[in-house]
Amino acid sequence: MKKVYIKTWGCQMNEYDSSKIVDLLQKNQNCIITKESSNADILLLNTCSIREKAQEKVFHQLGRWKHLKKNNNNLIIGVGGCVASQEGEYIIERAPYVDIVFGPQTFHRLPEMLNKFYKTKNAIVDVSFPKLEKFKSFPKTISHSPSAYISIMEGCNKYCAFCIVPYTRGEEVSRPSIDILLEISELAAQGVREITLLGQNVNAYRWFDEKSGKIYTFANLLRLVASITGIDRIRFITSHPIEFKDDLIEVYKDTPKLASFLHLPVQSGSDRILNLMKRSHTISYYKSIIEKLTKARPNIQISSDFIVGFPGETKYDFDQTINFISEINFDMSFSFLYSPRPGTPATYLPDKVKEEEKKYRLYILQNIINKQAKQWSEKMLGTIQRVLVDKILHDNESISGKTENNRVVVFNGSSNNIGKFVDVKITDSNIHFLKGKLINVENDINL
Ligand code: SAH
Ligand code: F3S
């Protein structure tokens, strides 16, 4: 049995891809996973190139692994993910001790690549974009948690001026609805209760069924997922404002299984910057979505992504972002300093704002977001929340799970409650999690 060590950087999609790599290697290569890089036979790095000095970080990590090859001649090093997709052959040129380079759309070929490498000992690079091929190779998904992720579409056609994703993950491709529904039914049969639908732009989902001549949109797909017995909570990441159409708002009205929490990236509160970012939407359009959503779901909470220090962002643009954050009252959100990505159009825009000033703006923005998230948590004190229990903690007396609005709650309970929805009264809140008291377990009345 070969021991595989895998290090994953980046988004939820990369985590998902790594879990599939593990399934594939366990099934087709008789591999086991090790948590120690020093005793591994195969080292894999699943990389991310969304921000910062991604390439340098990769070569530093590889430099550390290079030394392990001195003690083990047969050690194989593979690099995958978005940096691999971006750099391709150059990875082997700069780090000749790397044996396999694979992309986000070719990692399912790893078993074949390994076999070929064992025979020829020649480095292999495959960062091509074979559409949907990988999904056919995945072994049946086994979930170890009552909450599971499932990829419904890949890639992005939006080409925001700052973003590298369309170049590294390719254009939008949707999986057949029937495959997604079958996989979720199988997960439900294993006891999965909550599904998170994954994709770079889930609401761009579209599948044309040749047999019936019907087009399945994201709204159609959500309703079908909600009809699966056993699945009681549905989430999705990430959606784009531009495709947040009325049919999707309707699903919020009539599908209670869809969680009242939405992550909808806006990036900036200034129309001028949104235009430079090529986001294809304005602030008033974004606001109109939130208004419609709040009508459909008065208790919905919204989180977002913000980029601070985009080229040419003035103090006035930044203030507009800050005002917009307060106006929408965004919950916990992600915010980043703009980071120029090789080959993206934003790198050619003039930029006079000093790095110090950008960092200061980020600090201000994060303080406001944190303050608002804290207020949202405090509002929950004394309320009763529906929680899906997914963990028993080390003390063996506390269990934890997530509320509909994505907060972790810790409370006393037994492992028998894992995989169940329970009612918890919130008694305490801090920055990272809430504490509560178990009131009711589904099917059990009054504890
Ligand atoms: N729709 C995508 C967004 C991917 S990138 C998804 O699957 O989530 C996630 C976030 O990273 C973006 O919303 C944006 O806020 C941030 N980001 C992307 N490129 C960036 C860059 N060049 N510099 C700083 N932040 C960036
Ligand atoms: Fe990136 Fe914009 Fe697509 S942020 S993933 S190009 S929607």
Side-chain angles (χ1 to χ4, degrees):
M1 272 198 170
K2 294 214 154 48
K3 291 194 217 81
V4 180
Y5 175 87
I6 180 160
K7 196 183 240 326
T8 307
W9 288 327
C11 63
Q12 209 57 59
M13 195 64 114
N14 263 16
E15 293 288 344
Y16 178 83
D17 289 351
S18 286
S19 74
K20 294 292 173 194
I21 292 174
V22 168
D23 289 351
L24 271 165
L25 294 182
Q26 278 174 336
K27 183 162 178 253
N28 299 343
Q29 290 278 322
N30 201 18
C31 289
I32 52 164
I33 299 301
T34 171
K35 290 198 166 115
E36 297 288 331
S37 56
S38 53
N39 70 11
D41 303 295
I42 302 171
L43 294 173
L44 297 176
L45 185 58
N46 195 1
T47 63
C48 169
S49 60
I50 199 84
R51 282 174 293 273
E52 290 151 23
K53 300 180 175 71
Q55 298 89 317
E56 290 317 304
K57 197 173 154 194
V58 170
F59 288 109
H60 275 142
Q61 181 61 51
L62 290 174
R64 267 173 249 140
W65 282 357
K66 179 184 174 184
H67 300 292
L68 296 174
K69 273 208 160 180
K70 284 189 194 134
N71 307 332
N72 178 0
N73 262 343
N74 296 321
L75 179 66
I76 291 180
I77 299 182
V79 182
C82 287
V83 176
S85 172
Q86 190 185 308
E87 304 292 333
E89 300 272 352
Y90 176 69
I91 296 199
I92 308 275
E93 261 171 52
R94 188 161 155 194
Y97 47 89
V98 169
D99 306 301
I100 295 177
V101 178
F102 54 97
Q105 309 304 341
T106 52
F107 65 78
H108 61 289
R109 295 180 181 166
L110 259 176
E112 264 168 63
M113 292 188 213
L114 283 166
N115 286 341
K116 198 165 156 199
F117 182 81
Y118 292 135
K119 277 193 205 130
T120 65
K121 300 282 176 214
N122 292 331
I124 301 171
V125 179
D126 183 356
V127 290
S128 57
F129 291 95
K131 281 189 183 171
L132 295 177
E133 184 189 277
K134 66 179 177 190
F135 292 100
K136 295 194 190 95
S137 328
F138 294 162
K140 195 173 152 183
T141 313
I142 308 288
S143 180
H144 305 287
S145 159
S147 174
Y149 289 86
I150 172 158
S151 168
I152 63 161
M153 59 83 66
E154 287 267 329
C156 182
N157 292 353
K158 306 291 181 286
Y159 293 94
C160 299
F162 52 81
C163 184
I164 198 143
V165 169
Y167 310 93
T168 56
R169 282 201 170 255
E171 297 235 306
E172 288 164 3
V173 224
S174 299
R175 289 180 68 194
S177 307
I178 186 71
D179 293 1
I180 297 169
L181 296 168
L182 274 175
E183 200 176 327
I184 298 178
S185 302
E186 282 172 8
L187 288 168
Q190 294 169 33
V192 167
R193 308 293 306 276
E194 176 184 271
I195 284 288
T196 303
L197 305 176
L198 272 186
Q200 260 74 36
N201 278 292
V202 284
N203 48 341
Y205 180 86
R206 239 159 230 70
W207 175 253
F208 175 64
D209 181 38
E210 280 173 10
K211 270 194 206 143
S212 63
K214 199 177 159 198
I215 293 177
Y216 288 85
T217 61
F218 184 53
N220 297 143
L221 184 69
L222 280 173
R223 286 209 173 85
L224 288 167
V225 174
S227 71
I228 297 174
T229 312
I231 300 301
D232 286 295
R233 191 183 269 167
I234 305 166
R235 303 182 188 273
F236 56 81
I237 40 172
T238 307
S239 53
H240 193 292
I242 210 67
E243 261 143 337
F244 220 98
K245 301 278 163 56
D246 287 352
D247 64 340
L248 184 47
I249 310 261
E250 289 301 312
V251 186
Y252 278 91
K253 284 190 192 154
D254 61 26
T255 311
K257 288 183 181 182
L258 186 56
S260 282
F261 186 88
L262 171 68
H263 180 69
L264 189 63
V266 64
Q267 316 298 355
S268 167
S270 149
D271 279 341
R272 198 183 71 83
I273 295 293
L274 287 179
N275 187 32
L276 286 174
M277 286 177 166
K278 303 236 174 309
R279 286 288 291 177
S280 348
H281 65 83
T282 58
I283 282 302
S284 69
Y285 171 75
Y286 186 96
K287 256 196 244 174
S288 73
I289 300 174
I290 305 298
E291 274 160 22
K292 287 187 217 168
L293 266 172
T294 341
K295 267 197 197 127
R297 282 284 177 94
N299 62 343
I300 197 160
Q301 275 168 245
I302 314 288
S303 74
S304 201
D305 287 347
F306 298 92
I307 295 181
V308 172
F310 187 77
E313 181 192 70
T314 61
K315 175 80 173 57
Y316 179 69
D317 294 316
F318 176 68
D319 287 345
Q320 284 186 300
T321 304
I322 293 295
N323 294 340
F324 190 56
I325 290 173
S326 314
E327 187 182 340
I328 301 290
N329 197 4
F330 284 107
D331 194 6
M332 321 179 254
S333 296
F334 300 102
S335 48
F336 317 98
L337 267 194
Y338 166 71
S339 156
R341 301 288 71 218
T344 57
T347 53
Y348 303 104
L349 293 173
D351 189 13
K352 288 199 188 115
V353 184
K354 293 210 174 76
E355 227 27 55
E356 284 304 293
E357 169 66 17
K358 291 183 182 180
K359 283 186 188 154
Y360 179 66
R361 288 181 191 171
L362 183 68
Y363 168 80
I364 301 279
L365 186 144
Q366 288 181 336
N367 266 339
I368 292 176
I369 294 271
N370 291 343
K371 201 174 99 201
Q372 289 182 184
K374 190 167 165 260
Q375 284 167 352
W376 277 111
S377 293
E378 281 167 0
K379 263 199 218 163
M380 295 169 77
L381 288 172
T383 62
I384 293 181
Q385 299 286 326
R386 190 164 171 258
V387 173
L388 173 59
V389 183
D390 59 10
K391 253 190 217 104
I392 175 131
L393 306 189
H394 291 306
D395 63 5
N396 268 332
E397 284 175 2
S398 320
I399 52 178
S400 74
K402 277 195 176 163
T403 60
E404 184 146 344
N405 63 354
N406 243 342
R407 270 141 172 96
V408 174
V409 191
V410 178
F411 48 100
N412 274 352
S414 89
S415 59
N416 294 341
N417 293 329
I418 292 180
K420 289 189 178 164
F421 279 94
V422 299
D423 290 333
V424 178
K425 185 166 184 180
I426 306 302
T427 54
D428 198 1
S429 89
N430 68 41
I431 317 169
H432 306 292
F433 62 91
L434 306 171
K435 284 185 187 163
K437 185 175 179 312
L438 185 59
I439 304 284
N440 195 34
V441 179
E442 59 181 351
N443 303 329
D444 291 355
I445 311 160
N446 292 332
L447 287 174

